[in-house]
Amino acid sequence: MSVGRLERDVRDEISEIFADFDTATEHGASGLRRRQLYAYYDIFIHLQDFTGENAAAAARDAVEGPGTARVRERLARLVPAYGPAGDEDRPTAFYHWEGEPPVDKETGLHTTVIVNRVADEVIPEVARLFGGLDATGFPHRMGTRRRQLFAYQGVYFHLQDFPGEDGTAVIGQAWREADPRFVQICADLDPLVKKYAPERWRSTADQIATRFYHWEAAE
């Protein structure tokens, strides 16, 4: 996962850059299974899923590849750094839960990205709360296949993989069903995780980033 700043709407230009790259590049050797691009207010979010035992190493190598370097050069004029110049653009993962079978053996998954703000000192408590929730049967009932939490420059990213389409409707259904486990974690998180742009807040859907590009490897 990497992030940048969107100072204007350049989603079409970004999509074209990645479409050119993904069409011309054979990703089989790298193990890249899925690429998804999102926009959330002034944030650009780039997700990549790699398969295989060496997925972590493949993800690191992909950043250094010649083709990726050219993509980064083209993106530089469109997506400046979100944080101070020279800072790492990859958020820090602080929680991961995955169901069975592993996500990299499935296709047709859609990652729903929730964006908020979080202070460093509460991150362990946020991870603890989700650990408790995911130890129950609730993720399976909701349809969550994988959950990942990241933090970067005070920004909180909550990634949930769902089968099929965008999980916005699934999250909305969870609110309507009011499962006590869901209600409780929302209440527990409320003082810890803050709205990214409270002045624009209208509903819980406002915390969900918009996916504007998707590429997935053929079977």
Side-chain angles (χ1 to χ4, degrees):
M1 177 181 182
S2 61
V3 300
R5 189 175 294 280
L6 287 177
E7 297 177 338
R8 53 197 176 92
D9 187 359
V10 290
R11 287 176 290 182
D12 288 346
E13 294 173 78
I14 294 171
S15 296
E16 183 178 349
I17 289 171
F18 279 101
D20 289 346
F21 178 66
D22 290 329
T23 300
T25 304
E26 173 54 61
H27 290 295
S30 71
L32 180 63
R33 178 63 176 272
R34 180 170 40 244
R35 185 193 313 282
Q36 301 176 90
L37 306 181
Y38 296 78
Y40 185 79
Y41 292 114
D42 61 340
I43 304 177
F44 165 70
I45 303 163
H46 179 193
L47 305 182
Q48 297 182 89
D49 279 304
F50 291 84
T51 61
E53 295 180 359
N54 298 317
R60 289 193 298 270
D61 292 344
V63 175
E64 307 300 330
T68 305
R70 288 192 293 273
V71 168
R72 292 174 73 91
E73 289 176 6
R74 295 179 66 185
L75 283 178
R77 64 181 180 83
L78 303 174
V79 185
Y82 184 85
D87 273 16
E88 177 65 59
D89 66 357
R90 290 188 289 277
T92 300
F94 67 90
Y95 179 81
H96 177 266
W97 172 88
E98 193 160 338
E100 294 291 339
V103 164
D104 66 8
K105 294 183 180 179
E106 298 185 5
T107 59
L109 291 176
H110 186 294
T111 305
T112 297
V113 181
I114 295 171
V115 184
N116 283 299
R117 295 191 186 275
V118 68
D120 290 345
E121 58 267 23
V122 305
I123 285 175
E125 177 64 7
V126 173
R128 187 191 70 79
L129 290 170
F130 276 108
L133 178 70
D134 292 334
T136 73
F138 182 75
H140 303 283
R141 175 182 174 180
M142 190 175 182
T144 305
R145 290 290 300 109
R146 177 174 64 180
R147 189 189 316 280
Q148 300 174 87
L149 305 180
F150 296 83
Y152 178 74
Q153 301 285 340
V155 183
Y156 163 91
F157 301 93
H158 177 182
L159 280 55
Q160 289 189 79
D161 284 294
F162 295 101
E165 296 302 314
D166 188 350
T168 303
V170 179
I171 295 170
Q173 183 66 25
W175 277 106
R176 289 189 292 274
E177 292 179 352
D179 185 296
R181 296 166 294 187
F182 181 75
V183 172
Q184 185 61 56
I185 195 168
C186 289
D188 291 340
L189 289 172
D190 189 58
L192 306 176
V193 178
K194 306 298 184 180
K195 299 177 181 64
Y196 184 83
E199 71 282 1
R200 303 181 187 181
W201 182 263
R202 299 180 304 278
S203 71
T204 55
D206 290 335
Q207 66 186 331
I208 298 176
T210 300
R211 189 174 80 170
F212 65 92
Y213 177 84
H214 172 235
W215 173 88
E216 192 155 338
E219 285 296 314

